[in-house]
Amino acid sequence: MTMVQVENLVKRYKEVLALDHFNLDIKEGEIFGLLGPNGSGKTTAINCMLQLLTYDKGTIKLFGQDMEPTRYDLKKRIGIVPQNIAVFEELTVAENIDYFCALYVKDNKKRARLVKEAIEFVGLEEYVKFRPRKLSGGLIRRLNIACGIVHKPELIFLDEPTVAVDPQSRNAILEGIRSLNRNGSTVVYTSHYMEEVEEICTRIMIMDHGQVLACGTNNELKAMIGTGEKIQVEVIDLPDKALESIKALNCTQKASYDGKTLEVFCTSGAQNLSTVLQTLQQEGLTFGRVYSEPPTLNDVFLELTGTELRD
Amino acid sequence: MWNTFKYTVKALVQESSVLLWGLGFPLIMATLFQIAFSNIDGSYDFEPIPIAVVENENYTNNEVFTQSIEALASSGEGQLFKLHIAKNESEAQQLLADATIMGFYAINDKGNPELSLTPSKMLDLASIEQTILKSYLDNFVRTQTTLEAIAQKDPSVFVKPSFLESLSAPINYTNEVSITANKTSGVVRYFYALLGFATIMAANIGVIAMARTQANLSPLGARRAAGATKRITTLVATLLASWFLAFVFLTVTFCYMRYVLDVGFAREIACVGGLAVCSLMTTALGACVGSIPKIGDMAKGGILSGLACLFGLFAGLFGTPSQKLADDLTRTAPLLQMLNPAKQVTDLFYSLYYYDGYVHYLQTTFVLLAGALVLFAVTVVFVRRQRYASL
C-alpha cells in the first residue's frame, strides 16, 4: 500500500522556489529518509503534506486518499514529531503526553494506557512529573517524540528529531524509531545527518533546493555514482609527479593532496588499494596511516551536486 | 474539548506573565490606591468638631449658652461638637495649640460668648469645621438678640406655646436629600477605572492562548493544528479557558476590593454578572490582538499595555485631570467613549452604585457584549485560514 504519494508539488515563498516539482512515493512499512541540507525543502515538504502550508501546484495523497486540512480521519492515523519542540512549558511530561494523545483518542481508559506505554517507550518514567524546562535537551526531544507517537499512528513524520541531542539520547531515539517501524508504523524521517539516515532508513531521498536529486536504497544511491572506494593515505611531501602518477592509474577517478593526506576516489575493483600503495612505493615515498572505505552518502551528495552536504 | 479546556487553563495559570498582568498587577494597584486614597472619603463624612469651653463663672451664669452647647455635644445622630472642658483660658489656648480642638468658646465679662479659632496657618485644613463654629456663634448671638428685642417690645408672646415650640425646634433652611442610591464617594471611581484597566490587561490571557493555537504563530500552534481535533473545537475550548481565567482573575480582584479594601460596590450579584461580561470582552480583545499575524508576542503585549493606559486615561484612572478629560469626552463625544472598554467597565459598576434601576447597567452590558462580538468577528477574519503561506 502506498502511504504517501506526492506528485509535482510546487511551493514558493515569494521569490524563493522551496519545492520544485517534488515527487514522493512511500510504501507501507518503510523507514523513508529525506536527506538534505538545511533549507533544502524537507520541512516544507512535510508541512505541505500535513496541510499546514499552502502550495502552488501538485497533489498529495496519504493512505491513498487526497489530503485536505479537514481530513481529520486521515490525521488520526498520522503521528507528527516536529523539528521545533512543540510542548506546553507549564505542563508536566505526563500531562503533555496526555494532552496530545487526547487530540486523537477520546476514550479516557484507552488514553491512560497509551500514555503509560509512550512514557515507557521513550524512557521517561522517572520524569513524568517534571516540566519541560527541567529536562535536558535529549529528554525534551524524547518527550517531543512521545507526544507524536502516543496514539500509535500508522504513519509517523519525524522532522530532524535528533537535532542538538547527546549521543546516548540519539542512539535511544534511533532505536525507538526502529522499534516503531517493527511494530507496524511507516516512518518518514528527515535529517541532515547522513550517518543516521544510512543507519536506519530502508530507502533514502536526497534533495536540495527543493528538488529530488536521487532516491533509492543506501546501496542503490552509492551505485549511482562511479566511486567504488575512497582511499586516504598519509604522505609527507608528495611531489607533483607522484600525484600525476596516481591520477594516471586506470582505477583513479580523481585524486587530491592537501599537504598531509592523499585522497583517491577509485572505481569499483578489488586491487585499488594495493595499486595505489605500489605506485607510491615506486615513487620512493614512505607513507603513514592508510584508510580505505566505501563511498558515503556525502560522497553521493558531493558527486550529485558538486558541493559538500552543508549544515 | 474538555481536555483542551482543562490543559489550557492549567498551562495559562502557570504562565508568569498571565499571573502578573492578569492578577498581580491589579491587586498591587488596588492596594496602592487604597493607601493613596485612604483619607479622601474622610472629607465626605462629618465627624463631631472638637471644641472646648472655658468653664468659669461667666460660663456657668450663661445658662442658655451652656445648655445649647451641651445639647449639641451630646452623643447621638445630631452631635455637632466633641466637647472639652478647660478650667481657664490658658488651658483652652494650650488645647488649641496642641490641635486637640479646633476652637473654643469663652463667655466674656459682659456675658457674651466669644470664639477663638485655630491659628491661621492651619485654616486651610479646617476651614469647614471653623466655618461651622463661627456660624453657630453667629446664629446663637442673633437668636439671643432677637429674643431680647421681643422681650422688650412684646413679652406676652413668650406665654404662647407655639412660640416656645418654635424656639425649641431646630431651624433647618435646607433639607438634605440623596439623589443617588448610595453614599457619594470620591474614591470608588478610581477603583472602577482600575477594574476597567485590569479588564484590558487580562486580555494578555487571550493573546497567549491564541498564539498557542495558530500554526503561523508558534510551533505548538502548528503541532496542534496538525492534530486530529477539529480546529473549531480547539479554538472554542481555548477561548472558553481564557474567558474562565479572566473571569476568575477579575472576580478575585473585585472581591479583594470589595471585602478586603472595603471599596463601595452595590448589588454584588449584578457586579459578578458584569464581570462575566467584562471577561468575555477582554477574551475577545485578547483573541483579536493575539491572532494578528507577523507580530511577536512581545509586541502584542506592548500593544495591550498601550491600549490599557490609553483606555485607562479616558476612563479617569489617572487622577482628577484624567477624570475631567473622561467627563469632557463623554459629554462631547459619547460614541467615542462607547469604544473605550475601560470606560464602559467603569460605567458598569458606576451605574450599579449610583443608579436605582438596571437600565444603565444593561445598556453598558449591551455595549460591552457588542464590542466583544465585533472583536470576535475580526478574530475570525484572522484565524479563518486552515493553511498558511509560511510558518
Side-chain angles (χ1 to χ4, degrees), chain B residues 94 236 325 348:
Chain B
Q94 187 58 48
V236 169
L325 189 67
L348 188 131

Side-chain angles (χ1 to χ4, degrees), chain B residues 333-388:
Chain B
L335 285 176
L336 203 62
Q337 282 290 60
M338 282 174 79
L339 299 176
N340 180 352
K343 179 72 171 83
Q344 292 306 314
V345 174
T346 308
D347 286 354
L348 188 131
F349 293 102
Y350 214 72
S351 62
L352 285 173
Y353 190 75
Y354 284 121
Y355 291 91
D356 292 325
Y358 283 93
V359 175
H360 286 90
Y361 169 77
L362 290 173
Q363 279 174 351
T364 315
T365 303
F366 176 77
V367 170
L368 285 168
L369 283 173
L373 210 63
V374 170
L375 289 167
F376 276 132
V378 177
T379 306
V380 169
V381 173
F382 284 132
V383 303
R384 73 186 189 284
R385 271 185 236 120
Q386 298 271 5
R387 292 183 292 194
Y388 298 88

Side-chain angles (χ1 to χ4, degrees), chain B residues 193-226:
Chain B
L194 180 58
L195 266 177
F197 183 79
T199 300
I200 310 297
M201 292 309 287
N204 265 304
I205 300 167
V207 170
I208 292 169
M210 209 62 189
R212 292 173 174 190
T213 63
Q214 298 301 299
N216 61 332
L217 297 178
S218 67
L220 182 56
R223 173 67 188 83
R224 294 170 81 185

Side-chain angles (χ1 to χ4, degrees), chain B residues 22-51:
Chain B
L23 189 61
F25 191 66
L27 292 183
I28 291 167
M29 287 285 283
T31 308
L32 292 176
F33 273 24
Q34 179 70 1
I35 294 166
F37 302 143
S38 57
N39 291 323
I40 287 184
D41 265 354
S43 62
Y44 291 86
D45 296 331
F46 182 81
E47 292 289 327
I49 305 164
I51 60 160

Side-chain angles (χ1 to χ4, degrees), chain A residues 199-211:
Chain A
E199 190 181 334
I200 65 164
C201 293
T202 53
R203 215 148 58 90
I204 300 159
M205 175 181 279
I206 297 177
M207 61 185 298
D208 196 16
H209 300 296
Q211 289 182 317

Side-chain angles (χ1 to χ4, degrees), chain B residues 125-352:
Chain B
L125 297 172
S127 55
I128 294 172
E129 285 85 350
Q130 292 187 337
T131 303
I132 292 170
L133 294 182
K134 189 171 181 304
S135 296
Y136 164 73
L137 184 62
D138 290 345
N139 196 34
F140 178 83
V141 171
R142 196 164 48 245
T143 308
Q144 192 179 34
T145 308
T146 305
L147 289 175
E148 282 171 1
I150 292 169
Q152 282 177 3
K153 200 172 180 182
D154 184 11
S156 61
V157 296
F158 288 102
V159 297
K160 293 179 181 173
S162 58
F163 178 76
L164 292 173
E165 275 175 21
S166 70
L167 277 182
S168 60
I171 302 167
N172 288 324
Y173 299 105
T174 57
N175 186 27
E176 188 182 348
V177 177
S178 176
I179 57 166
T180 60
N182 288 286
K183 199 176 90 176
T184 307
S185 168
V187 167
V188 291
R189 189 172 173 182
Y190 287 99
F191 285 95
Y192 296 168
L194 180 58
L195 266 177
F197 183 79
T199 300
I200 310 297
M201 292 309 287
N204 265 304
I205 300 167
V207 170
I208 292 169
M210 209 62 189
R212 292 173 174 190
T213 63
Q214 298 301 299
N216 61 332
L217 297 178
S218 67
L220 182 56
R223 173 67 188 83
R224 294 170 81 185
T229 296
K230 285 181 182 170
R231 199 169 144 75
I232 186 72
T233 307
T234 304
L235 274 175
V236 169
T238 303
L239 291 176
L240 274 176
S242 304
W243 172 84
F244 175 74
L245 260 191
F247 179 60
V248 169
F249 285 178
L250 287 176
T251 305
V252 169
T253 306
F254 165 76
C255 290
Y256 178 71
M257 287 180 178
R258 173 69 186 86
Y259 299 107
V260 179
L261 303 182
D262 202 25
V263 175
F265 282 93
R267 290 173 278 182
E268 284 82 354
I269 301 293
C271 284
V272 174
L275 289 173
V277 176
C278 296
S279 306
L280 192 69
M281 198 287 305
T282 195
T283 301
L285 178 65
C288 186
V289 174
S291 59
I292 299 172
K294 295 174 184 172
I295 297 180
D297 285 351
M298 291 282 280
K300 285 173 183 171
I303 289 172
L304 269 189
S305 299
L307 284 177
C309 290
L310 186 71
F311 290 151
L313 174 70
F314 293 112
L317 179 67
F318 305 117
T320 310
S322 168
Q323 290 182 353
K324 189 175 180 308
L325 189 67
D327 294 340
D328 288 346
L329 202 63
T330 304
R331 274 191 294 274
T332 55
L335 285 176
L336 203 62
Q337 282 290 60
M338 282 174 79
L339 299 176
N340 180 352
K343 179 72 171 83
Q344 292 306 314
V345 174
T346 308
D347 286 354
L348 188 131
F349 293 102
Y350 214 72
S351 62
L352 285 173

Side-chain angles (χ1 to χ4, degrees), chain A residues 20 34 36 57 80 86 92 104 208 218 223 225 233:
Chain A
D20 184 5
L34 269 175
K57 191 182 161 190
I80 304 140
T92 65
Y104 303 88
D208 196 16
N218 192 9
I225 60 172
V233 186

